[in-house]
Amino acid sequence: MSLLSVTRSSLAKDLRLEWRSKDAINAMLFFALLVVVIFSFSFDPNAEESRRIAGGLVWVAFLFAAVVALNQTWARELRNQVLDAYRISPAPADALFLSKVLGNFLFVAVLEVLMTPLFIVFFDLRAVGAGWQLVLVAALGTWALVVNGTFFAAVSLRTRSREIMLPLLLFPISVPALIAMVRATTVILTGEDSAYLPLVFLAVYDIVFTTVCLLLFETVLHAE
């Protein structure tokens, strides 16, 4: 069983389940929509102020919404002992982890595509700097959130309060990436500086944590 074939099969299975139930997407959209509305009533910024704080608001909203989906990542596999079947199968553990990360990345990316227009309308946003770099920030930042989120969701799977444990583990380790995401988004929206350094930091962060998570996941999968 090759890494690619198992990853593709497991990802296709997760996408089919989500397409039928839409549990993760609906929950994230509802949560993110609530955050946008609450923020819009909490702040009354003019256009210049909104560009300065929008990076923080956007990424905090996406981080909180992503946790809703990440909590469901492994819960589905506990039903009918699917996760136990993975343990005794010859399928590589890396493939299971990568399929979950890719699935979560797609779910959060869909959320960002759907919610970004609402942020633009509610906060009157426009990019003064290189707007195309926002795509890089979104891709690198989303990967940073989901690769750690998927790993810590597996770590907290068998804890009694995994819904609480996941944010407790994920938020502190995501702070450096979150700061880089907010910094990059802010300088692109305001055009006051270059987003080069935050983007390089995010790329290095993604490489390091993806490697560490892949190396440790097999131990987490077989832990009792």
Side-chain angles (χ1 to χ4, degrees):
M1 302 178 78
S2 70
L3 177 73
L4 182 61
S5 64
V6 176
T7 302
R8 187 171 57 237
S9 300
S10 181
L11 176 62
K13 182 261 296 178
D14 286 345
L15 294 180
R16 279 197 302 273
L17 288 175
E18 181 58 31
W19 178 257
R20 291 172 184 168
S21 67
K22 297 180 178 59
D23 289 340
I25 293 293
N26 287 340
M28 285 193 298
L29 282 174
F30 181 72
F31 190 89
L33 185 61
L34 278 180
V35 172
V36 172
V37 173
I38 290 171
F39 281 168
S40 68
F41 284 114
S42 301
F43 300 96
D44 185 22
N46 57 40
E48 183 61 28
E49 289 173 335
S50 66
R51 279 194 289 274
R52 293 184 182 280
I53 64 172
L57 298 182
V58 168
W59 282 111
V60 168
F62 288 156
L63 174 61
F64 287 167
V67 170
V68 177
L70 292 169
N71 265 322
Q72 300 181 29
T73 299
W74 301 104
R76 286 173 176 165
E77 309 299 350
L78 286 178
R79 300 165 192 160
N80 301 317
Q81 291 76 49
V82 176
L83 201 58
D84 293 332
Y86 274 119
R87 287 174 168 167
I88 61 175
S89 75
D94 294 355
L96 176 60
F97 180 73
L98 284 176
S99 67
K100 294 296 182 186
V101 175
L102 290 171
N104 286 327
F105 182 86
L106 292 174
F107 299 153
V108 178
V110 169
L111 167 76
E112 292 171 355
V113 169
L114 294 176
M115 293 304 300
T116 297
L118 290 182
F119 274 103
I120 293 173
V121 171
F122 274 78
F123 294 95
D124 192 21
L125 300 179
R126 60 183 173 85
V128 178
W132 62 270
Q133 291 182 338
L134 288 173
V135 178
L136 280 178
V137 178
L140 294 172
T142 302
W143 185 266
L145 295 181
V146 300
V147 73
N148 284 326
T150 305
F151 179 79
F152 285 118
V155 171
S156 60
L157 184 62
R158 288 178 175 77
T159 60
R160 185 171 299 176
S161 304
R162 61 174 178 265
E163 289 82 6
I164 298 174
M165 186 61 69
L166 175 58
L168 291 178
L169 295 172
L170 177 61
F171 288 174
I173 206 162
S174 298
V175 167
L178 192 62
I179 291 173
M181 286 182 257
V182 172
R183 177 63 181 164
T185 305
T186 302
V187 299
I188 292 170
L189 291 177
T190 60
E192 293 178 347
D193 200 353
S194 170
Y196 177 76
L197 287 179
L199 285 172
V200 170
F201 178 86
L202 280 175
V204 173
Y205 182 98
D206 286 355
I207 292 170
V208 170
F209 279 91
T210 301
T211 304
V212 172
C213 290
L214 283 172
L215 291 174
L216 296 178
F217 179 71
E218 186 166 4
T219 303
V220 173
L221 178 65
H222 292 93
E224 293 296 338

